[in-house]
């Protein structure tokens, strides 16, 4: 059965106080104890995760069209920290500050596996974002979650991503990634949906399902161009994404409400944007006003440049008008439980979104592969 459409009507509401939130949650879970058990489990695990993001290197072995990292010169803004002792010292400082989880991006982290090791040795949870062209070794990285980017699916992926740094094109990037991570419990394909790629969504997800991997949907934002973020065929894209979710409910980890929010940019009477996005660097001086507007931020979150000294604006490009980053959208929904308390069904929706988010990562107890990677 297809997911029912979510009511996305934008309407103002008075923010609930902490006392009102507690009372409302108690009321809802007293009527449905199953919701309370799920909420308690999420809270227990969530308390163990305090995340940071690190641009591990400015180097990459491809040049994807629409990649914010290169479109906005993150590769040349700072110099890579190559001293492994200093990398380790940096991770030790993160741990002292209470960080337990790191998302390592680039550039391409698999080009510098020795810089990944200190994070694995010192932190509880580590994830890398990769283009899939190289396989992360298994020895010593058994519990590292691997998020493999895909743009558009089908032949669109090669058109958008299979480009060497010198501009020369190649083919078969998805197939290479599938070969590198066949049956690998660490791997989740992060599939950036596009309007031109609507017809490729089902076949691409089927390939990943047959390969023994999970899929999480992202939304392709063409940074560095005048292409508008607003989807011209958003309804058709959304309908197809939800249909494919129904076809592969155990493979596509995302809850339908997250998928709808990702594509429309709207949820619980609000629109996604800088004023509500929680994935900003809390130590960046530009955010003083945002930090005081009453909307949640990720506690202690910072995104670090490849020099391991520069605090970046946020988890992605800092160009908020072009952004529909999956992790930012997820963080917005996860930090907005207070807006999902009008009914037990609303709370159930929030729980589904949250559990779907944690299913992506092999180190999470919500991952279907969790016992495999930790045994």
């Amino acid at each position: 059965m297809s997911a029912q459409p979510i009511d996305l009507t934008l309407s103002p509401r008075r923010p609930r106080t902490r006392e009102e939130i507690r009372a409302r949650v108690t009321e809802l879970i007293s009527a449905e104890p199953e919701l309370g058990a799920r909420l308690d489990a999420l809270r227990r695990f969530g308390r163990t995760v305090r995340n940071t993001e690190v641009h591990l290197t400015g180097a990459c072995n491809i040049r994807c069209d629409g990649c914010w990292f290169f479109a906005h010169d993150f590769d040349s803004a700072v110099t890579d920290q190559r001293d492994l002792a200093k990398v380790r010292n940096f991770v030790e400082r993160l741990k002292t500050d209470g960080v337990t989880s790191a998302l390592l991006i680039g550039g391409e982290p698999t080009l510098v596996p020795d810089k990944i090791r200190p994070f694995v040795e010192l932190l509880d949870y580590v994830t890398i974002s990769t283009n899939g062209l190289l396989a992360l070794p298994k020895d010593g990285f058994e519990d590292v979650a691997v998020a493999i980017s895909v743009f558009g699916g089908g032949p669109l992926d090669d058109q958008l991503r299979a480009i060497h740094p010198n501009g020369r094109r190649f083919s078969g990037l998805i197939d290479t990634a599938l070969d590198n991570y066949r049956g690998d419990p660490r791997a989740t394909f992060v599939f950036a949906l596009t309007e031109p790629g609507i017809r490729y969504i089902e076949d691409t997800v089927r390939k990943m399902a047959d390969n023994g991997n999970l899929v999480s949907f992202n939304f392709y934002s063409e940074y560095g161009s005048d292409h508008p973020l607003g989807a011209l065929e958003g309804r058709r894209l959304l309908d197809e994404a939800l249909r494919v979710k129904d076809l592969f409910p155990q493979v596509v980890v995302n809850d339908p409400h997250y998928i709808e929010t990702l594509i429309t940019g709207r949820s619980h009477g609000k629109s996604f944007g800088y004023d509500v996005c929680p994935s900003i660097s809390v130590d960046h001086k530009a955010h003083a006003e945002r930090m005081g507007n009453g909307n949640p931020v990720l506690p202690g979150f910072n995104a670090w440049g490849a020099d391991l000294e520069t605090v970046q604006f946020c988890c992605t490009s800092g160009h908020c008008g072009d952004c529909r980053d999956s992790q930012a959208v997820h963080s917005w929904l996860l930090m907005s439980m207070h807006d999902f308390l009008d009914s037990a069904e609303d709370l159930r929706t929030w729980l589904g979104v949250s559990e779907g988010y944690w299913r992506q990562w092999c180190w999470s107890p919500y991952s279907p592969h969790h016992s495999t990677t930790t045994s």
Side-chain angles (χ1 to χ4, degrees):
M1 179 181 295
S2 297
Q4 293 300 308
I6 306 295
D7 181 5
L8 297 170
T9 304
L10 300 183
S11 57
R13 69 159 76 224
R14 180 183 64 81
R16 290 182 168 101
T17 65
R18 288 180 181 271
E19 291 73 20
E20 288 173 330
I21 291 170
R22 292 193 196 98
R24 183 58 174 157
V25 169
T26 300
E27 180 183 358
L28 291 174
I29 65 178
S30 65
E32 300 197 37
E34 174 260 343
L35 299 182
R38 290 169 65 187
L39 181 59
D40 285 345
L42 281 166
R43 284 173 166 169
R44 283 196 304 273
F45 177 64
R47 290 189 191 105
T48 73
V49 183
R50 182 173 167 186
N51 196 41
T52 197
E53 179 180 281
V54 181
H55 298 187
L56 204 60
T57 176
C60 192
N61 44 12
I62 59 176
R63 291 293 185 273
C64 304
D65 281 349
C67 174
W68 59 264
F69 191 83
F70 290 100
H72 297 299
D73 301 320
F74 281 82
D75 59 314
S76 58
V78 300
T79 301
D80 280 19
Q81 177 55 262
R82 294 183 172 86
D83 186 326
L84 293 180
K86 291 183 178 179
V87 175
R88 188 175 188 87
N89 288 340
F90 170 76
V91 184
E92 288 173 345
R93 291 196 301 274
L94 292 178
K95 184 175 182 178
T96 298
D97 289 341
V99 171
T100 62
S101 174
L103 171 61
L104 308 179
I105 68 172
E108 176 49 50
T110 60
L111 294 173
V112 288
D114 285 347
K115 290 171 70 172
I116 300 175
R117 290 188 187 279
F119 291 88
V120 175
E121 292 168 359
L122 293 168
L123 301 183
D124 295 333
Y125 313 117
V126 178
T127 302
I128 69 162
S129 177
T130 177
N131 57 45
L133 195 57
L134 297 174
L136 181 71
K138 291 186 177 179
D139 186 20
F141 302 103
E142 295 87 352
D143 295 321
V144 174
V146 180
I148 307 162
S149 296
V150 173
F151 288 2
L156 269 181
D157 189 67
D158 277 353
Q159 293 175 32
L160 294 170
R161 295 200 307 140
I163 308 166
H164 289 294
N166 63 6
R168 185 170 56 86
R169 291 185 171 271
F170 62 101
S171 62
L173 183 49
I174 285 182
D175 290 338
T176 298
L178 289 167
D179 287 343
N180 284 337
Y181 293 97
R182 190 177 309 281
D184 193 329
R186 303 174 301 173
T188 296
F189 281 85
V190 181
F191 183 1
L193 305 175
T194 69
E195 288 179 9
I198 290 173
R199 59 181 168 163
Y200 306 125
I201 297 174
E202 180 181 340
D203 287 346
T204 302
V205 171
R206 179 173 284 107
K207 272 189 171 185
M208 296 160 182
D210 292 344
N211 206 57
N213 306 125
L214 300 175
V215 176
S216 181
F217 287 148
N218 198 356
F219 188 83
Y220 179 71
S221 300
E222 194 171 349
Y223 293 96
S225 80
D226 58 1
H227 181 273
L229 183 64
L232 300 176
E233 296 187 85
R235 186 72 245 180
R236 194 159 71 91
L237 178 62
L238 175 57
D239 287 346
E240 181 64 4
L242 292 174
R243 186 185 72 84
V244 173
K245 163 66 179 177
D246 280 349
L247 281 177
F248 301 96
Q250 302 307 313
V251 174
V252 178
V253 298
N254 313 123
D255 183 87
H257 184 81
Y258 159 79
I259 298 172
E260 189 147 358
T261 303
L262 179 75
I263 293 173
T264 65
R266 300 190 301 275
S267 175
H268 53 278
K270 299 176 183 177
S271 293
F272 179 70
Y274 172 68
D275 60 324
V276 298
C277 179
S279 297
I280 58 172
S281 292
V282 298
D283 290 332
H284 196 288
K285 61 183 180 181
H287 298 310
E289 185 174 349
R290 163 65 183 88
M291 296 279 287
N293 73 1
N295 292 318
V297 297
L298 293 176
F301 175 82
N302 284 300
W304 296 92
D307 58 356
L308 307 186
E309 297 176 358
T310 303
V311 177
Q312 304 291 359
F313 187 82
C314 66
C315 74
T316 178
S317 71
H319 292 252
C320 302
D322 294 332
C323 180
R324 197 72 58 68
D325 178 76
S326 61
Q327 301 310 304
V329 171
H330 258 131
S331 71
W332 177 43
L333 293 173
L334 266 63
M335 297 291 287
S336 299
M337 186 192 76
H338 53 280
D339 285 314
F340 288 84
L341 299 178
D342 285 350
S343 67
E345 192 56 37
D346 282 349
L347 179 56
R348 186 173 287 106
T349 294
W350 182 86
L351 292 168
V353 169
S354 302
E355 292 161 348
Y357 172 76
W358 292 119
R359 286 191 71 213
Q360 298 176 93
W361 318 123
C362 66
W363 40 258
S364 160
Y366 290 91
S367 166
H369 299 306
H370 180 65
S371 60
T372 302
T373 59
T374 57
S375 60

